Amino acid sequence: MSTTPNREALVIGASRGLGLLLVDELLRRGWRVVATTRESGGELQARADAHKGQLDVESLEMTSPEQLAALRERLAGRPDGGRLDLLFVNAAIDRGDLPIGEVPVEMFTEVMVTNALSPLRALEALRGLVAPGGTVAVMSSEQGSISRNTEDGYDLYKASKAALNQLMRSYTTRHADDGHTKLLIDPGHNRTRLGGPDAPLSPEESVPAVVDVLEAQTGAPGLQFLDRHGETVPW
């Protein structure tokens, strides 16, 4: 196990599933973590109570620009100025397996706003807190790979992740000289509320591999779309 003393991470969307396990793994490796949730209490707050001084919990509805701005102000007001070595956005929803022609406009908008627009809004709002040489990362999915879309199903979710990837490429072009490592991470199909009980992978095994990738890529230039093994996922 590698350790990263005095490293600071912000994990957006950490109340359960992969986000919560990501917080656990960062704590285990010695990171200090700020983690966000939409609801107070729960498992994340229990973690914070057990790791006082190492884990802080912040309230955030990521789809709200006003709440993103308020979070940035709160973090910037901390003694360290809110300095981050890692900004990781982990938030996505799935509204089922409807053919795209049957997807209501309201559902399309909700999924696209949550899975594609809001993660990039979060990066834009908070990137100024990331230290030179730090990392900005977003949880993506192999299902966002256009070239690997060879099986029917989950049209809207796939489209939202492809849109996320495209927006991240635009973000990288816009901020090419900021010195930040930029990553899209595919954690694989895991047994979570989103992935379902029949998914082939255990989150407890996948998340440490994801953190291995995050740590190994520190300082790497440009944008990469990587799986949990650090292998390139085709666009």
Side-chain angles (χ1 to χ4, degrees), residues 21 187 190-191 200-210 212 228-229:
L21 290 174
N190 285 270
R191 292 187 291 275
L201 299 177
S202 161
E204 290 77 13
E205 295 176 354
S206 296
V207 169
V210 166
D212 285 343
R228 69 190 184 283
H229 303 299

Side-chain angles (χ1 to χ4, degrees), residues 8-10 12 31 84-90 119-120 122-139 167-169 171-173 175-176 178-185 213-214 217-226:
E8 304 276 345
L10 171 59
I12 305 292
W31 290 70
L84 300 171
D85 299 289
L86 171 65
L87 168 57
F88 194 103
V89 180
N90 169 65
L120 270 297
L123 293 191
E124 293 285 9
L126 300 166
R127 58 178 298 276
L129 300 176
V130 180
T135 299
V136 294
V138 182
M139 197 77 87
L167 290 172
M168 190 65 177
R169 293 197 74 161
Y171 173 93
T172 299
T173 300
H175 301 299
D178 63 6
H180 294 158
T181 295
K182 301 171 183 72
L183 300 172
L184 287 158
I185 299 293
V213 172
L214 293 173
Q217 293 298 324
T218 299
L223 171 66
Q224 298 179 83
F225 184 12
L226 303 176

Side-chain angles (χ1 to χ4, degrees), residues 12-14 19 62 88-93 111 114-116 118-119 138-139 157 161 164 194:
I12 305 292
M62 186 186 64
F88 194 103
V89 180
N90 169 65
I93 59 172
V111 172
T114 301
N115 292 5
S118 295
V138 182
M139 197 77 87
Y157 183 77
K161 287 299 187 178
L164 169 70
L194 183 66

Side-chain angles (χ1 to χ4, degrees), residues 108-109 111-121 123 138-146 149 154-172 174 184 223 225 235:
F108 183 89
T109 301
V111 172
M112 283 293 185
V113 167
T114 301
N115 292 5
L117 176 61
S118 295
L120 270 297
R121 278 180 170 171
L123 293 191
V138 182
M139 197 77 87
S140 185
S141 170
E142 181 187 34
Q143 293 197 66
S145 169
I146 292 175
N149 184 10
Y154 293 92
D155 296 0
L156 178 54
Y157 183 77
K158 289 176 179 177
S160 72
K161 287 299 187 178
L164 169 70
N165 293 352
Q166 182 74 297
L167 290 172
M168 190 65 177
R169 293 197 74 161
S170 296
Y171 173 93
T172 299
R174 188 163 50 255
L184 287 158
L223 171 66
F225 184 12
W235 298 101

